[in-house]
Amino acid sequence: MRPLARLLPLLLSLLPATAAAQATVGVDPITKLFSAAPGQAITQVLNIYNPNSTAQKLRIVAYLSDMNIGETGETEFPPVGTVKESSAPWTTFTPSEIELGGLETKQVRYTIQIPPNAAPGTHWAMLMFEAQDPAAVPGKTLASFRLRVAHTMYVNVQPIKAEGSITGIFDAPPKNETDIYQLAVQYANTGNAATGVRGRVELRDARGDLVATLPLELTVALPGRTVLLKSAWAGPVPKGQYSALVILNNGDKNKDILGEHVVTLPFDLKARSQAATPAAAPAATPAPATAPAGTTGGPGGKP
């Protein structure tokens, strides 16, 4: 089973870079996933480029950083060695500083030396590239810019195992008839591999008929951590009690992870075109009425 290999293109889109909206420096590739054994060395060459057609040169400073993803999806960049699965202490790179003219590209090379006693599982770190204004004068320049992008390095030290479960299903019922019903699914990654988790919620009425399907978008789940996958249900929806079947997948094409929850609407919800809330809920889409075979269940409930 190779869950990360199948989900790699989607994982890359989730953790692209930490640059500001106006890109001043770029890195290619953005992310790399390596599979290795203890004691092995890995070398990768990165292209660092200045996409701007200007005469002024950019000073690029490179440094390593740890990375963590919080339960609600926020990405954090703690100092090297903070995250226990960090591969930053194994990593060296050169050069640590370059200058780029307009439309110029230069290369940075890094090596990951995996220790002989490295623990199995996914290890990761980020190589940051910070663009600084070379014309800034300390004590005289009123403002200068510092923009950065990051190259994320994932290393799967064999053997790896993708494993997880639904540890909670929480909801926030609508406060009025123009509100939306919000639902969050808590997933715990109990394996040793970083995986992408995605799925859907199938909502059925009292007769068992499928009335809506809510998407749970792809989320990166780091090993030993929990993440929340969120969705919402917009009107028009009649009041009453509904059954919510949560179906998650962490890259294993032969097995889904299931959870159940009871949804109670105390009043009819109006259509979103009549709602006054600022953010629109994801559109409900049709889905098969039955879950794939070979599934495992998980608990559900309200906080």
Side-chain angles (χ1 to χ4, degrees), residues 130-160:
E130 187 174 280
Q132 302 178 358
D133 184 357
V137 179
K140 293 184 178 181
T141 305
L142 294 178
S144 62
F145 64 83
R146 287 191 175 186
L147 302 176
R148 66 180 182 177
V149 292
H151 171 78
T152 308
M153 304 165 284
Y154 290 100
V155 181
N156 281 344
V157 178
Q158 300 300 324
I160 63 167

Side-chain angles (χ1 to χ4, degrees), residues 21 28 35 48 50-51 64 95 107 114 121 149 163 181 192 203 226 238 259 270:
D28 179 40
S35 181
I48 314 302
N50 179 359
L64 288 163
Q107 292 185 330
I114 301 159
V149 292
E163 194 172 69
Y181 185 96
N192 66 2
L203 292 159
T226 60
K270 291 185 178 181

Side-chain angles (χ1 to χ4, degrees), residues 23 38 45 57 69 77 85 100 107-108 112 115 126 146 194 224 234-235 283:
V45 176
K57 288 190 174 183
I69 301 175
F77 307 100
E85 301 93 344
L100 290 177
Q107 292 185 330
V108 171
I112 304 173
M126 281 186 161
R146 287 191 175 186

Side-chain angles (χ1 to χ4, degrees), residues 215-250:
L216 296 169
E217 300 299 333
L218 182 69
T219 302
V220 175
L222 298 177
R225 294 158 176 79
T226 60
V227 293
L228 286 177
L229 293 87
K230 300 178 182 179
S231 195
W233 195 13
V237 181
K239 69 177 181 180
Q241 195 170 85
Y242 298 84
S243 173
L245 174 64
V246 177
I247 304 171
L248 296 184
N249 189 272
N250 62 5

Side-chain angles (χ1 to χ4, degrees), residues 14-46:
L14 287 178
L15 289 174
T18 60
Q22 182 181 0
T24 305
V25 61
V27 56
D28 179 40
I30 288 293
T31 305
K32 284 292 291 185
L33 169 66
F34 304 101
S35 181
Q40 185 177 343
I42 298 167
T43 298
Q44 173 71 33
V45 176
L46 303 177

Side-chain angles (χ1 to χ4, degrees), residues 181-271:
Y181 185 96
Q182 300 182 68
L183 187 129
V185 180
Q186 185 180 59
Y187 172 83
N189 185 343
T190 55
N192 66 2
T195 61
V197 183
R198 68 189 311 172
R200 66 185 186 273
V201 181
E202 294 183 354
L203 292 159
R204 298 177 183 274
D205 60 20
R207 296 178 302 180
D209 296 331
L210 181 66
V211 295
T213 300
L214 309 179
L216 296 169
E217 300 299 333
L218 182 69
T219 302
V220 175
L222 298 177
R225 294 158 176 79
T226 60
V227 293
L228 286 177
L229 293 87
K230 300 178 182 179
S231 195
W233 195 13
V237 181
K239 69 177 181 180
Q241 195 170 85
Y242 298 84
S243 173
L245 174 64
V246 177
I247 304 171
L248 296 184
N249 189 272
N250 62 5
D252 187 344
K253 64 180 181 181
N254 297 316
K255 183 176 68 176
D256 282 333
I257 302 166
L258 302 184
E260 291 183 293
H261 186 71
V262 175
V263 171
T264 302
L265 295 178
F267 38 70
D268 295 341
L269 294 184
K270 291 185 178 181

